Amino acid sequence: MSPQNSVTARPALKVGVLGAGTVGTQVIRLLLEQSEEFTARSGARLAITGVAVRNVAAPRDESVPRELLTDDATAVATSNDLVIELIGGIEPARTLILAAFKAGASVITGNKALIAAHGPELYAAAAAADVDFYYEAAVAGAIPVVYALRESMAGDRVTSVLGIVNGTTNYILDEMSTKGLSFDEALATAQELGYAEADPTADVDGLDAAAKCAIIASLAFHTRVGLDDVTVEGIRSITAEDIREAHASGCEIKVLAIAQRREDDHARGISVRVHPALVPAHHPLASVHGAFNAVLIEAESAGRLMFYGQGAGGAPTASAVLSDVVAAAAHRVNGGQAPRESSYADLPVLGPESAITRYQVQLRVDDQPGSLATVAGVFAENGVSIDSVRQSAYVGAAEATVTIVTHPASVFHLDTAVDALRGEDRVLDVLSIQKVEGE
Ligand code: HSE
């Protein structure tokens, strides 16, 4: 290294870490082990001055030097140049981050719930203090989705984002798909492996994915989108039979976070939702296995961009945190700032009734002449166009199962058609209704 590049000649920046859980431990380990590289890349020596934890005496990984531990989180938040918040949840994380901004620190966080609930307030506080606010780790772990949407796509118009952004539910559905397990069996395996929490609500009921979807939609469409704007449906009701039927239709079932811009005769705005959907086996998201995440961005000029990788875990998430640390540190040394909130487009967030999607409807019908014509007629009368029909007869019974996949339709039209089908004598039962996403 030449004298002007010598790391000891670089300015020092004080770094405070709030929380030393799975991700915090990896962030601290990597910052200490690779300090020379971080100095060379950011232009500043990064000195961890304190790590705030709830219980200083608790046993923990030896990567975290005990002399850095403190239970005074406010002191850590207010006495550093860079503050890394990895506590999670709303409070005290929100108060600590606001205090850090006020004290002149740039903040790096992975706290999706906090951003989905209080993003505008945090952006405003960062702008008022003229410091950076970074949160790459909040969405899809190691995958640089926030950077891609906030910076790489700044010269384009995003039309849709379709993502598998919750590794736990993808793991559960993949176990059901590849091993024929029930939801409860797959959840138990996910819990044994540490993917799912003892209380799996945030993952299996779609709330974790919804917070990420709100962040994705805000960035993609330059519009404030909060958690309450996201229509959410979890996976507790998915059965092994649903998965077998999906396979019979050439599909996998995936939980998708969907953010779409609509500008047509019926609606103008954005649709933001999280729900399980049938995805055709040939679609790139269908082959995302295990706990992996993937995000498909479509933009007017760029076309399709696909991102794939580890969406959780200590080291993968620490990778995202540390990229933000390098960027924020480099701004301290060289000038420049992180992108501010961009919400100028202020598009209306459409209600669930405006979502347009394809559906698969499975019916049990009388296997008599004209039954299929009756079913087709009901769809036509209610403005729902049929894409494909599959029929299988029950051996020895005068009944058949008819599986219909529609062209994109609104919930309203689909519900009206299904209600009408229930009133037909030849339709014995509506067995299932599934959304179908991905061309
Ligand atoms: N629990 C999340 C997941 C990781 O399963 O993807 C943190 O957001």
Side-chain angles (χ1 to χ4, degrees):
M1 237 176 228
S2 64
Q4 66 269 33
N5 283 336
S6 153
V7 292
T8 51
R10 305 293 177 86
L13 291 176
K14 291 187 287 177
V15 179
V17 184
L18 302 172
T22 317
V23 179
T25 299
Q26 294 305 312
V27 166
I28 293 161
R29 177 181 71 78
L30 291 162
L31 266 177
L32 295 173
E33 282 179 8
Q34 302 175 8
S35 68
E36 293 218 351
E37 283 164 77
F38 285 115
T39 302
R41 290 177 198 172
S42 67
R45 280 182 291 125
L46 303 176
I48 304 177
T49 64
V51 177
V53 293
R54 238 192 327 235
N55 181 1
V56 172
R60 59 186 75 244
D61 193 288
E62 62 188 20
S63 321
V64 183
R66 296 205 79 84
E67 64 275 16
L68 292 177
L69 296 175
T70 170
D71 57 9
D72 190 346
T74 305
V76 172
T78 55
S79 59
N80 286 286
D81 301 297
L82 308 179
V83 171
I84 303 170
E85 184 275 308
L86 297 168
I87 301 172
I90 306 296
E91 288 295 355
R94 172 179 160 271
T95 300
L96 290 168
I97 290 178
L98 292 173
F101 286 143
K102 214 163 177 187
S106 290
V107 173
I108 294 99
T109 179
N111 192 332
K112 68 218 70 139
L114 180 61
I115 299 164
H118 295 283
E121 179 188 29
L122 299 174
Y123 265 120
D130 199 21
V131 293
D132 286 346
F133 179 42
Y134 276 112
Y135 51 89
E136 184 60 67
V139 182
I143 308 175
V145 170
V146 171
Y147 188 90
L149 289 169
R150 199 156 78 144
E151 309 206 35
S152 310
M153 302 310 291
D156 208 335
R157 296 182 79 202
V158 175
T159 50
S160 78
V161 183
L162 213 59
I164 294 172
V165 294
N166 182 269
T168 304
T169 46
N170 201 59
Y171 177 84
I172 291 171
L173 292 173
D174 199 38
E175 287 286 287
M176 292 174 75
S177 172
T178 55
K179 298 185 183 156
L181 301 185
S182 68
F183 170 77
D184 288 335
E185 290 166 335
L187 172 60
T189 315
Q191 284 169 325
E192 275 162 32
L193 291 174
Y195 292 130
E197 310 280 335
D199 175 1
T201 308
D203 292 318
V204 300
D205 292 336
L207 306 175
D208 173 83
K212 294 166 182 170
C213 195
I215 297 170
I216 285 173
S218 305
L219 295 169
F221 303 121
H222 304 273
T223 291
R224 288 183 175 174
V225 180
L227 189 58
D228 293 344
D229 294 316
V230 187
T231 307
V232 193
E233 198 185 311
I235 61 163
R236 286 186 202 264
S237 61
I238 306 279
T239 63
E241 178 62 18
D242 290 331
I243 304 272
R244 276 193 292 277
E245 286 300 332
H247 290 172
S249 303
C251 294
E252 294 291 345
I253 298 184
K254 296 290 183 191
V255 176
L256 300 180
I258 301 169
Q260 283 168 334
R261 198 178 73 212
R262 277 194 69 189
E263 254 170 320
D264 52 51
D265 293 344
H266 305 289
R268 179 182 171 276
I270 54 178
S271 172
V272 192
R273 55 195 201 269
V274 169
H275 56 68
L278 298 177
V279 177
H282 60 78
H283 189 275
L285 292 178
S287 50
V288 176
H289 295 292
F292 276 80
N293 283 193
V295 178
L296 190 63
I297 300 173
E298 298 207 30
E300 282 184 4
S301 303
R304 263 187 176 189
L305 302 171
M306 175 88 176
F307 297 80
Y308 171 86
Q310 298 190 69
T317 310
S319 163
V321 169
L322 290 165
S323 73
D324 286 346
V325 169
V326 170
H331 290 156
R332 293 284 164 138
V333 177
N334 304 318
Q337 58 178 215
R340 298 293 189 218
E341 182 185 26
S342 175
S343 58
Y344 72 90
D346 198 19
L347 294 169
V349 180
L350 302 168
E353 70 288 349
S354 298
I356 296 281
T357 184
R358 294 192 294 144
Y359 289 90
Q360 177 178 288
V361 181
Q362 202 168 46
L363 308 167
R364 193 160 60 83
V365 300
D366 253 343
D367 196 3
Q368 301 293 337
S371 287
L372 203 53
T374 302
V375 169
V378 169
F379 276 106
E381 282 156 21
N382 289 283
V384 179
S385 174
I386 292 173
D387 180 40
S388 68
V389 178
R390 184 160 49 85
Q391 175 172 326
S392 45
Y394 291 108
V395 177
E399 293 176 8
T401 303
V402 175
T403 306
I404 291 172
V405 177
T406 72
H407 284 295
S410 71
V411 183
F412 172 79
H413 284 115
L414 195 278
D415 283 351
T416 321
V418 171
D419 280 349
L421 285 168
R422 288 188 212 274
E424 288 290 338
D425 291 344
R426 288 158 185 260
V427 177
L428 305 175
D429 200 0
V430 178
L431 298 172
S432 69
I433 304 169
Q434 306 264 15
K435 299 177 184 73
V436 182
E437 295 283 349
E439 297 294 330

